[in-house]
Structures are given as C-alpha cells and as structure tokens.
Amino acid sequence: DTAVSQTPKYLVTQMGNDKSIKCEQNLGHDTMYWYKQDSKKFLKIMFSYNNKELIINETVPNRFSPKSPDKAHLNLHINSLELGDSAVYFCASSADLAVVYEQYFGPGTRLTVT
Amino acid sequence: GDSVTQMEGPVTLSEEAFLTINCTYTATGYPSLFWYVQYPGEGLQLLLKATKADDKGSNKGFEATYRKETTSFHLEKGSVQVSDSAVYFCALSRMEYGNKLVFGAGTILRVKS
C-alpha cells in the first residue's frame, strides 16, 4: 500500500492552461508539504499544511494555490501555466510539527509546459 | 537564511571503493540534519539523520556524524555497490521554521562494476 501517492505521474500541457496535482497520504500524518525540483535537481519548499492549516508559504507566485480538504490530502492548483513551471513536484508528509520527524515523499509529478 | 552546501558531482567510483560526500551547513540554532537519496525516476527516501551535535546517523552501511564545530555532516560508506548509484541530498530542518527541509544541490553518484 503506497504511503504517499500523487496523481498524475506525468502532466504535459500548454502555456496558459490551468492544472491540478493531487496528493494523498495514508500514514495518518498531520503535516504535508509541496516541494519543487527544477531541471538541475535542486529542491525547494513551496508550501506546507498542518491539520488543514497553512503553515509555510514560500515566495511562490500567486498562480500556485494549495488546498487541503482534509489532513490526508494536499492538492496543488496552478493557474496560467508558464514554461518556467516545468519541473518535478513532490508531495511529502510527516507526523506533526512538534518534533522533527522524517518526511515521506511521494513519487513525484513531472510537469512539462510547452 | 539557512543553507546547505554539498560537493559537486558527479562522483564516479568503482565498486567497493570508499565514498565521501561532503556537506556543510549554515544555520543559527540547532538544526536537524538529514541525508536523502533519490534513485532514478523515484521520490526521495530518508537515508539517515542526526538531531543533535555528535550524533551519528547510520543506515545500509552509510554513516554521517553531526559536527557542530565544523558545521558539517559528511556522508561516508566503506564499500560502494553499483546499486548505490543515485542522487544524494544533504538537508537540514528546524522546528521554528515549520520543519521545512532546506536541501543542498544534490550529488550524483555513479558506481561502475
């Protein structure tokens, strides 16, 4: 049973479109994250939620909007896609924020904007 | 702000060679330190971690020691295998910053048989 799953695995779309990436964890964790990995493999935090509450919102364009309908799900919606949004997006989860726990990562969603 | 610096790769070794990947960090306070590994086409997996100074993390023959005096967390393995070929990321996190992981640039390791 997959701990952290993401859909879709691959997403190819044109500039200007709106798309969503979904993430689900079945670990019973309270905290979820979105990270972006660029073409040079560099990873950077985008957002985190704890029990459906936004905790971290890094300097990400307003076109990116996370939504957490419940603590097991954290979705990422992207409006007006740009070429520079092409990357691999990873969802992760950890038990909670009280201590530093391991983060469990999903398999990633490779977004290609043409 | 917090940052992590790793040695640039790719690092190419023959099977059974000794591996060292250097990692240093800049942070105030007492961050927790991690090594994550990414195999081709996969997500990241935690390899090992250390949460306080002088802690040694170890897993699958890999080791790293949290050195506060040199702000370092170098990854070592005595004898690498072809299956160790992957990208290795050093990272830190702090509770006061929501436990977000701050990653180094990653080091590609290639092991030849």
Side-chain angles (χ1 to χ4, degrees), chain B residues 2 6 40-41 57 59 61 67 77 83:
Chain B
D2 295 351
Q6 285 180 239
N59 186 25
R67 301 283 188 204
K77 187 176 186 184
S83 57

Coordinates of all heavy atoms in Angstrom, one line a residue, chain B residues 2 6 40-41 57 59 61 67 77 83:
Chain B
D2 N 19.0 30.0 6.3 CA 19.7 28.7 6.4 C 20.1 28.2 5.0 O 19.4 28.5 4.0 CB 18.7 27.6 7.0 CG 18.4 27.9 8.4 OD1 19.0 28.8 9.0 OD2 17.5 27.3 8.9
Q6 N 26.8 21.2 -0.7 CA 27.3 19.9 -0.9 C 28.4 19.9 -2.0 O 28.4 20.8 -2.9 CB 26.3 19.0 -1.5 CG 25.2 18.5 -0.6 CD 24.2 17.6 -1.3 OE1 23.0 17.9 -1.3 NE2 24.7 16.5 -1.9
P40 N 16.9 6.8 -9.7 CA 16.3 7.3 -10.9 C 14.8 7.1 -11.1 O 14.3 6.0 -10.8 CB 17.1 6.5 -12.0 CG 18.4 6.2 -11.4 CD 18.1 5.9 -9.9
G41 N 14.1 8.2 -11.4 CA 12.7 8.1 -11.6 C 11.9 7.9 -10.3 O 10.6 7.7 -10.4
G57 N 24.4 9.2 12.5 CA 23.3 8.5 11.8 C 23.9 7.4 10.9 O 25.0 7.6 10.4
N59 N 22.8 3.8 8.2 CA 21.8 3.0 7.6 C 22.5 2.4 6.3 O 23.1 3.1 5.6 CB 20.6 3.9 7.2 CG 19.5 3.0 6.6 OD1 19.4 1.9 6.9 ND2 18.6 3.7 5.8
G61 N 25.0 0.7 5.7 CA 26.4 0.9 5.5 C 26.9 2.3 5.4 O 28.1 2.6 5.4
R67 N 28.7 17.4 13.1 CA 29.8 18.1 13.7 C 29.4 19.6 13.8 O 29.5 20.3 12.8 CB 31.0 17.9 12.9 CG 31.5 16.5 12.7 CD 32.2 15.9 13.9 NE 32.8 14.6 13.6 CZ 33.0 13.7 14.5 NH1 32.7 14.0 15.8 NH2 33.6 12.6 14.2
K77 N 30.7 5.9 3.1 CA 30.4 4.4 3.0 C 31.7 3.7 2.7 O 32.5 4.2 1.8 CB 29.3 4.1 2.0 CG 28.9 2.7 2.0 CD 27.8 2.3 1.1 CE 27.3 0.9 1.2 NZ 26.3 0.5 0.3
S83 N 24.5 -0.7 -7.0 CA 23.1 -0.3 -6.6 C 23.0 1.0 -5.8 O 21.9 1.5 -5.6 CB 22.5 -1.4 -5.8 OG 23.2 -1.8 -4.7

